[in-house]
């Protein structure tokens, strides 16, 4: 298996699809990210740290890759990559840098229709309607040139998207 970066807008269902795939395929390994927000704030399973602790970890060289998005810092622990290829939830902004440290990186881009994203983001309760509308209006932006990308629309059922996700992983590793 090659390293696979999963990207897409908030609410597209990246974490849901990755967790479902890992439950079906025990050979898949998902990287647990370090994020500068409280661990109990919901969403993915991550290590929550203070900005000061993050800066210390960064200075110690503990991240293979780190970036900033939406006012938070994100880091991928270097030791998560010691045992071979992984699935990782990445920001589009970090893809070019990721491609330099993860040779053969493949990208799975998860999307959903705007009204589906709005409904999912609203259900999270982290942002108000104006913030959600602004987030969706910003769009996703382009992906870096030269990376192999598989696109999956997760606007319908989770089961349909999980099948597409697993098929994409099988194709990447064929």
């Amino acid at each position: 298996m090659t390293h696979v970066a999963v990207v897409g807008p908030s609410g597209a269902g990246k974490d849901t699809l990755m967790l479902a795939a890992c439950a079906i395929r025990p050979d898949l390994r998902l990287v647990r990210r370090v994020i500068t927000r409280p661990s109990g704030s919901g969403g993915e399973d991550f290590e929550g740290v203070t900005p000061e602790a993050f800066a210390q970890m960064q200075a110690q060289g503990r991240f293979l890759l780190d970036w900033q998005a939406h006012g938070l810092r994100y880091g991928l622990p270097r030791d998560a990559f010691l045992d071979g290829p992984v699935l990782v939830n990445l920001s589009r902004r970090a893809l070019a840098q990721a491609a330099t440290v993860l040779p053969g990186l493949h990208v799975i881009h998860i999307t959903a229709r705007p009204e589906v994203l709005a409904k999912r983001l609203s259900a999270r309760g982290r942002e108000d309607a104006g913030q959600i509308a602004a987030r969706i209006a910003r769009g996703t932006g382009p992906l870096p040139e030269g990376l192999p990308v598989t696109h999956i629309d997760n606007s319908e059922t989770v089961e349909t998207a999980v099948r597409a996700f697993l098929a994409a992983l099988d194709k990447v590793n064929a």
Side-chain angles (χ1 to χ4, degrees):
M1 180 174 147
T2 187
H3 295 294
V4 176
V6 181
V7 300
S10 292
K14 300 177 297 289
D15 294 318
T16 298
L17 296 181
M18 288 186 291
L19 288 173
C22 288
I24 294 167
R25 296 251 320 263
D27 61 308
L28 298 175
R29 292 187 318 107
L30 181 59
V31 173
R32 187 170 182 250
R33 303 189 299 179
V34 176
I35 307 175
T36 56
R37 74 173 176 219
S39 293
S41 60
E44 70 184 276
D45 176 26
F46 64 95
E47 180 182 347
V49 298
T50 65
E52 297 77 19
F54 189 95
Q56 184 177 21
M57 293 171 81
Q58 187 179 34
Q60 293 168 345
R62 292 180 48 195
F63 298 127
L64 179 69
L65 182 68
D66 64 88
W67 66 96
Q68 184 170 339
H70 310 296
L72 301 171
R73 298 288 310 185
Y74 295 79
L76 303 180
R78 187 174 298 282
D79 60 3
F81 295 84
L82 297 177
D83 293 328
V86 296
L87 281 175
V88 61
N89 182 344
L90 274 185
S91 167
R92 287 177 306 280
R93 292 182 195 140
L95 282 174
Q97 183 185 1
T100 66
V101 297
L102 300 170
L105 182 68
H106 187 91
V107 177
I108 297 180
H109 182 222
I110 310 295
T111 60
R113 293 187 308 269
E115 64 272 16
V116 173
L117 294 175
K119 183 177 177 181
R120 290 175 184 165
L121 292 172
S122 179
R124 285 184 184 174
R126 291 187 207 155
E127 299 170 304
D128 64 32
Q131 292 169 316
I132 290 170
R135 180 184 286 270
I136 292 171
R138 277 197 309 263
T140 59
L143 297 171
E145 299 272 333
L147 286 174
V149 179
T150 302
H151 298 275
I152 295 174
D153 185 322
N154 186 18
S155 297
E156 302 302 327
T157 68
V158 171
E159 294 79 16
T160 300
V162 169
R163 281 194 300 275
F165 190 82
L166 290 169
L169 290 174
D170 289 342
K171 186 177 177 182
V172 165
N173 296 302

